[in-house]
PDB file of all heavy atoms in Angstrom:
ATOM      1  N   SER Z  65      72.239 127.687 154.391  1.00 97.00           N
ATOM      2  CA  SER Z  65      71.918 127.076 155.668  1.00 97.00           C
ATOM      3  C   SER Z  65      72.127 125.542 155.565  1.00 97.00           C
ATOM      4  O   SER Z  65      72.107 125.017 154.467  1.00 97.00           O
ATOM      5  CB  SER Z  65      70.451 127.362 156.108  1.00 97.00           C
ATOM      6  OG  SER Z  65      69.555 126.762 155.190  1.00 97.00           O
ATOM      7  N   VAL Z  66      72.368 124.950 156.721  1.00 98.00           N
ATOM      8  CA  VAL Z  66      72.618 123.509 156.765  1.00 98.00           C
ATOM      9  C   VAL Z  66      71.907 122.893 157.934  1.00 98.00           C
ATOM     10  O   VAL Z  66      71.385 123.583 158.845  1.00 98.00           O
ATOM     11  CB  VAL Z  66      74.110 123.173 156.886  1.00 98.00           C
ATOM     12  CG1 VAL Z  66      74.876 123.608 155.680  1.00 98.00           C
ATOM     13  CG2 VAL Z  66      74.712 123.796 158.155  1.00 98.00           C
ATOM     14  N   SER Z  67      71.842 121.564 157.940  1.00 97.00           N
ATOM     15  CA  SER Z  67      71.348 120.815 159.118  1.00 97.00           C
ATOM     16  C   SER Z  67      72.202 119.565 159.206  1.00 97.00           C
ATOM     17  O   SER Z  67      72.783 119.100 158.221  1.00 97.00           O
ATOM     18  CB  SER Z  67      69.876 120.478 158.974  1.00 97.00           C
ATOM     19  OG  SER Z  67      69.665 119.635 157.870  1.00 97.00           O
ATOM     20  N   ARG Z  68      72.270 119.017 160.438  1.00 97.00           N
ATOM     21  CA  ARG Z  68      73.014 117.753 160.636  1.00 97.00           C
ATOM     22  C   ARG Z  68      72.227 116.923 161.671  1.00 97.00           C
ATOM     23  O   ARG Z  68      72.606 116.799 162.794  1.00 97.00           O
ATOM     24  CB  ARG Z  68      74.412 118.044 161.121  1.00 97.00           C
ATOM     25  CG  ARG Z  68      75.302 116.811 161.211  1.00 97.00           C
ATOM     26  CD  ARG Z  68      75.940 116.433 159.948  1.00 97.00           C
ATOM     27  NE  ARG Z  68      76.599 115.156 159.952  1.00 97.00           N
ATOM     28  CZ  ARG Z  68      77.853 114.975 160.400  1.00 97.00           C
ATOM     29  NH1 ARG Z  68      78.531 115.967 160.945  1.00 97.00           N
ATOM     30  NH2 ARG Z  68      78.394 113.769 160.306  1.00 97.00           N
ATOM     31  N   GLU Z  69      71.154 116.367 161.199  1.00 97.00           N
ATOM     32  CA  GLU Z  69      70.271 115.569 162.067  1.00 97.00           C
ATOM     33  C   GLU Z  69      70.736 114.091 162.100  1.00 97.00           C
ATOM     34  O   GLU Z  69      70.385 113.372 163.019  1.00 97.00           O
ATOM     35  CB  GLU Z  69      68.844 115.638 161.565  1.00 97.00           C
ATOM     36  CG  GLU Z  69      68.291 117.103 161.620  1.00 97.00           C
ATOM     37  CD  GLU Z  69      66.878 117.165 161.056  1.00 97.00           C
ATOM     38  OE1 GLU Z  69      66.348 116.154 160.581  1.00 97.00           O
ATOM     39  OE2 GLU Z  69      66.316 118.301 161.044  1.00 97.00           O
ATOM     40  N   LYS Z  70      71.424 113.653 161.101  1.00 97.00           N
ATOM     41  CA  LYS Z  70      71.980 112.320 161.070  1.00 97.00           C
ATOM     42  C   LYS Z  70      73.464 112.340 160.733  1.00 97.00           C
ATOM     43  O   LYS Z  70      73.929 113.221 160.027  1.00 97.00           O
ATOM     44  CB  LYS Z  70      71.247 111.496 159.994  1.00 97.00           C
ATOM     45  CG  LYS Z  70      69.772 111.312 160.239  1.00 97.00           C
ATOM     46  CD  LYS Z  70      69.175 110.318 159.196  1.00 97.00           C
ATOM     47  CE  LYS Z  70      69.338 110.815 157.807  1.00 97.00           C
ATOM     48  NZ  LYS Z  70      68.699 109.895 156.812  1.00 97.00           N
ATOM     49  N   LYS Z  71      74.185 111.380 161.208  1.00 97.00           N
ATOM     50  CA  LYS Z  71      75.608 111.329 160.988  1.00 97.00           C
ATOM     51  C   LYS Z  71      75.929 111.240 159.487  1.00 97.00           C
ATOM     52  O   LYS Z  71      76.911 111.810 159.027  1.00 97.00           O
ATOM     53  CB  LYS Z  71      76.203 110.125 161.705  1.00 97.00           C
ATOM     54  CG  LYS Z  71      77.710 110.030 161.690  1.00 97.00           C
ATOM     55  CD  LYS Z  71      78.167 108.878 162.541  1.00 97.00           C
ATOM     56  CE  LYS Z  71      79.699 108.844 162.630  1.00 97.00           C
ATOM     57  NZ  LYS Z  71      80.160 107.736 163.546  1.00 97.00           N
ATOM     58  N   GLU Z  72      75.097 110.533 158.748  1.00 97.00           N
ATOM     59  CA  GLU Z  72      75.403 110.273 157.338  1.00 97.00           C
ATOM     60  C   GLU Z  72      75.028 111.413 156.425  1.00 97.00           C
ATOM     61  O   GLU Z  72      75.421 111.446 155.265  1.00 97.00           O
ATOM     62  CB  GLU Z  72      74.613 109.031 156.845  1.00 97.00           C
ATOM     63  CG  GLU Z  72      74.647 107.836 157.759  1.00 97.00           C
ATOM     64  CD  GLU Z  72      73.655 107.938 158.911  1.00 97.00           C
ATOM     65  OE1 GLU Z  72      72.442 108.097 158.639  1.00 97.00           O
ATOM     66  OE2 GLU Z  72      74.097 107.909 160.053  1.00 97.00           O
ATOM     67  N   SER Z  73      74.272 112.373 156.858  1.00 98.00           N
ATOM     68  CA  SER Z  73      73.658 113.347 155.985  1.00 98.00           C
ATOM     69  C   SER Z  73      73.948 114.794 156.389  1.00 98.00           C
ATOM     70  O   SER Z  73      73.863 115.142 157.580  1.00 98.00           O
ATOM     71  CB  SER Z  73      72.136 113.113 155.941  1.00 98.00           C
ATOM     72  OG  SER Z  73      71.513 114.051 155.088  1.00 98.00           O
ATOM     73  N   PHE Z  74      74.268 115.621 155.391  1.00 98.00           N
ATOM     74  CA  PHE Z  74      74.596 117.032 155.672  1.00 98.00           C
ATOM     75  C   PHE Z  74      74.066 117.891 154.517  1.00 98.00           C
ATOM     76  O   PHE Z  74      74.837 118.379 153.702  1.00 98.00           O
ATOM     77  CB  PHE Z  74      76.084 117.186 155.849  1.00 98.00           C
ATOM     78  CG  PHE Z  74      76.568 118.505 156.400  1.00 98.00           C
ATOM     79  CD1 PHE Z  74      75.899 119.141 157.426  1.00 98.00           C
ATOM     80  CD2 PHE Z  74      77.738 119.114 155.907  1.00 98.00           C
ATOM     81  CE1 PHE Z  74      76.358 120.354 157.959  1.00 98.00           C
ATOM     82  CE2 PHE Z  74      78.162 120.298 156.419  1.00 98.00           C
ATOM     83  CZ  PHE Z  74      77.486 120.937 157.455  1.00 98.00           C
TER      84      PHE Z  74
END
Side-chain angles (χ1 to χ4, degrees):
Chain Z
S65 66
V66 294
S67 63
R68 186 85 188 276
E69 298 176 359
K70 297 187 299 182
K71 187 175 185 178
E72 314 81 58
S73 179
F74 191 41

